[in-house]
Amino acid sequence: TSSSRSPATELRSVMARVLLLGASGFLGRHIHQALRGDPRVETMVCLGRKNRPPGAEVWVQHDLASGSVDDLTAILREAQPDVVVSAVGSLAGSARHLVEANVLAVAKLLEAMESAAPGARLVKLGSAGEYGSVVPGLAVNEESPTRPVSAYGVTRLASAQLVSLAKTEGRLDGTVLRVFNPIGAGMGGENMLGRAAAQMVEALASGRDYIELGPLSAYRDYVDVRDVARAVVDAALTPRSPSAILNVGSGRAVQNRELVRLLAAVAGFQGEIREGRAAPARSAGVNWIQADLTRITQELGWKPVYSLRDSAEYLWSEVAPTQAIH
């Protein structure tokens, strides 16, 4: 009911208690930093399956995919959060693994929240992969058709629909941020630009005069991970409940080839960029995508502030800290 949510809503406008899931991941690490730096956050509990993130005062080791609902419920009762931020999920693996990591984990979280933290707001990270194949040249908004082209996109969409359904039925105050292609420091090899950066580091160290990636003709909407973190903070702490789905992107489609060349310029890599490998299954069927940011701008006043070059420099500063940025 709305009355059961009002105390948390009031607290968010003053001082909020936050539970962050996936705090040690690529996105979670930046979200953690952004939340820690916000004066509206009173306390923060970080939950994750791997390493304790730097600066985490309260850290609970828990795997959302393999852990039990009872354990998660107990953690929520102890933390008594006003806001739960979920930055967990998996990009690759078998269909069964993706269902466990991206759908069942969210179902467990919803069940535990309804039991132990019914007044808390959930902010869950989603993916542009939920849209799948779109009409080239037409920016996608939150009402656009969802036609995922991979098991990854299907599972991300299913988890978003679970959150949206819980919100519609009044069981939970939930929002899914459909993050397009986040880039920045800490990217792993499961992302195209992370692979490119790792290969450039190796090539510069060994003197190799080429790197080899998959096809780079597709267009994507790339958004700086620090902008994503700001969007999470805004959605988590705004007094009014945001919409069930909000796009988080740059609002611009960029060809992958252009982005890799920009990273090469930043890195001082002058070798050949070969395109001989197969594209990842989760994105092979999507040739163009761009986010319409109208809704998130209207509801949260959020807009991206970092340029593509800012993002490339931020990524390179971490993978090659001893090399000068060009």
Side-chain angles (χ1 to χ4, degrees):
T1 65
S2 59
S3 60
S4 68
R5 285 202 294 266
S6 57
T9 304
E10 290 300 317
L11 274 166
R12 273 192 294 273
S13 64
V14 188
M15 295 291 278
R17 297 184 300 273
V18 180
L19 176 64
L20 172 60
L21 287 67
S24 55
F26 166 50
L27 291 172
R29 170 186 146 191
H30 291 88
I31 293 165
H32 176 236
Q33 290 173 348
L35 285 165
R36 279 185 70 213
D38 196 293
R40 294 169 292 178
V41 175
E42 179 183 24
T43 59
M44 183 158 48
V45 175
C46 294
L47 183 149
R49 63 182 174 85
K50 292 192 292 187
N51 306 317
R52 182 184 190 129
E57 282 116 23
V58 185
W59 163 251
V60 179
Q61 192 158 19
H62 178 83
D63 189 332
L64 199 59
S66 63
S68 72
V69 174
D70 287 345
D71 285 347
L72 185 57
T73 301
I75 292 167
L76 283 162
R77 285 197 202 284
E78 177 75 19
Q80 285 296 295
D82 303 306
V83 181
V84 176
V85 175
S86 177
V88 300
S90 189
L91 285 168
S94 67
R96 186 185 69 178
H97 168 73
L98 290 168
V99 168
E100 289 172 348
N102 296 340
V103 185
L104 292 180
V106 173
K108 288 179 191 175
L109 178 59
L110 293 173
E111 186 177 333
M113 284 186 68
E114 285 173 46
S115 172
R121 173 178 297 166
L122 171 63
V123 178
K124 190 192 92 67
L125 297 191
S127 169
E130 297 167 35
Y131 291 115
S133 183
V134 304
V135 178
L138 185 66
V140 290
N141 63 35
E142 293 82 356
E143 305 304 323
S144 295
T146 46
R147 295 182 290 245
V149 297
S150 66
Y152 168 75
V154 168
T155 57
R156 282 298 202 180
L157 178 59
S159 66
Q161 289 174 324
L162 286 175
V163 175
S164 186
L165 182 64
K167 188 183 186 84
T168 300
E169 294 179 345
R171 292 183 281 119
L172 204 69
D173 176 9
T175 294
V176 175
L177 299 182
R178 272 191 184 141
V179 180
F180 278 61
N181 292 76
I183 54 175
M187 288 185 76
E190 66 272 15
N191 298 100
M192 180 275 294
L193 201 64
R195 286 192 297 277
Q199 287 195 41
M200 286 178 196
V201 170
E202 290 175 20
L204 288 166
S206 66
R208 194 175 73 232
D209 63 354
Y210 70 91
I211 63 169
E212 189 168 16
L213 301 166
L216 299 174
S217 57
Y219 287 77
R220 295 284 181 270
D221 184 318
Y222 288 98
V223 57
D224 193 286
V225 67
R226 294 164 292 185
D227 280 325
V228 175
R230 279 195 311 109
V232 171
V233 173
D234 290 349
L237 301 179
T238 183
R240 291 181 74 182
S241 177
S243 292
I245 307 289
L246 292 173
N247 284 343
V248 179
S250 68
R252 177 186 170 215
V254 175
Q255 192 172 41
N256 289 339
R257 194 173 293 125
E258 176 189 340
L259 182 59
V260 174
R261 286 174 179 164
L262 175 60
L263 181 63
V266 165
F269 174 72
Q270 298 178 340
E272 182 186 1
I273 299 167
R274 298 179 181 174
E275 302 178 30
R277 298 185 178 183
R282 70 174 185 274
S283 58
V286 181
N287 296 318
W288 189 97
I289 194 165
Q290 176 180 311
D292 182 321
L293 303 178
T294 304
R295 181 179 290 180
I296 191 170
T297 301
Q298 288 176 344
E299 292 192 14
L300 302 180
W302 178 91
K303 290 182 180 179
V305 298
Y306 292 97
S307 70
L308 210 55
R309 187 175 184 92
D310 291 335
S311 304
E313 290 180 351
Y314 185 43
L315 167 58
W316 190 252
S317 70
E318 184 166 287
V319 295
T322 59
Q323 304 211 23
I325 290 176
H326 291 65

